[in-house]
Each structure stands twice: as C-alpha cells, then as structure tokens.
Amino acid sequence: MSPVPQVTDLILHRGPSVLLDRILDVSTTRCLASVRLEAGAWYLQADGTVPSWVGLEWMAQAAAAFSGHRHREAGREPRIGFLLGTRAYEALVPSFPLGADLEVEAEVLFLDDSGPGAFTCEVRHKGETLARARLKAIETP
C-alpha cells in the first residue's frame, strides 16, 4: 500500500486557495479528503461560520486531487482543471460550524482522457451528509 499523498502533491492550488487539509484516501474511483474549520480562515462569515457554498469548492478540490493522483500514478504531472459547474448542489445546512472536522468525497461518474469529467460529491460531518452535488469539470491538455 502506498502512502497517502499530501494535498499539494495532487492539486495545483497554493497558499490560501488550498482549502482541503488532508487526503484521507484516494483510489482509481474516488478521493476522500478532510477539512477542519479553523478560526481565521479567509472564507468565514462575521458570525464565525462557513457559508454553505464553500462546500462546492471543497468538492471541486477533492475532484482535482483525484485527477492529480490519477496523473501521478501514470507518471505525469497534475493538470490544470476548471469547474464547469453543477446543476445539483444541495446544501442541507445554511452554514458549516467553526471547529467542525468534515469529510469531503468526490467519486467519478464519468472521465475521459481528453479532459471532461463528472463526479458525485458529498460533504459529511460525523457520518451525516451536509451537502451533495454532481460536478462537471474539464482538464486542460
């Protein structure tokens, strides 16, 4: 079993734009990552919570980490990707609470070597789904 890679080994984001904390598991079909909601994060609202729409970026980064892992396993560098959108982002909570340890999962629905892909994603806290979506993304050649 190979060691679990660091987030920045798999995605091209750097600095404060890296929102995932750790990769928990990555395989040929999915990526499971974690996020700890800490005080001082740039995306906190005035009341100290994280707006539910931030979950969409966590999901996109988990999908990007999956893709980066796929390329690393094939001996290639991760590629730049773009979130094309979602028609089905469903936030089951209005915000995420400060201090929460969240799991973010992206699982492949469709993937083409020419660039386009689709993923089912969830944000969970203690096993409870807080947000879910189907994302569409594309990688640059």
Side-chain angles (χ1 to χ4, degrees):
M1 177 190 257
S2 58
V4 177
Q6 298 293 311
V7 174
T8 54
D9 291 339
L10 302 180
I11 67 174
L12 300 177
H13 298 69
R14 294 294 178 260
S17 64
V18 177
L19 301 188
L20 300 178
D21 290 324
R22 291 185 317 133
I23 303 298
L24 301 174
D25 185 48
V26 63
S27 71
T28 58
T29 60
R30 74 176 189 126
C31 177
L32 182 64
S34 68
V35 174
R36 174 138 175 95
L37 303 182
E38 302 279 353
W42 62 265
Y43 48 82
L44 288 180
Q45 300 180 111
D47 66 358
T49 61
V50 177
S52 61
W53 56 263
V54 175
L56 187 59
E57 179 61 21
W58 295 330
M59 293 173 181
Q61 288 191 19
F66 163 82
S67 180
H69 178 261
R70 181 174 158 263
H71 288 294
R72 291 262 186 230
E73 289 292 300
R76 301 183 301 258
E77 291 296 312
R79 293 164 56 182
I80 293 174
F82 297 97
L83 175 63
L84 295 176
T86 180
R87 288 188 182 184
Y89 181 70
E90 182 181 12
L92 304 172
V93 294
S95 60
F96 303 105
L98 191 63
D101 289 306
L102 305 176
E103 286 187 344
V104 182
E105 183 175 35
E107 187 170 357
V108 175
L109 282 172
F110 168 81
L111 193 60
D112 188 281
D113 284 335
S114 67
F119 299 83
T120 59
C121 302
E122 286 192 356
V123 176
R124 294 185 294 266
H125 182 247
K126 296 182 178 178
E128 179 185 353
T129 299
L130 303 181
R132 57 181 159 238
R134 288 189 179 198
L135 305 182
K136 293 182 178 92
I138 192 162
E139 292 181 329
T140 59

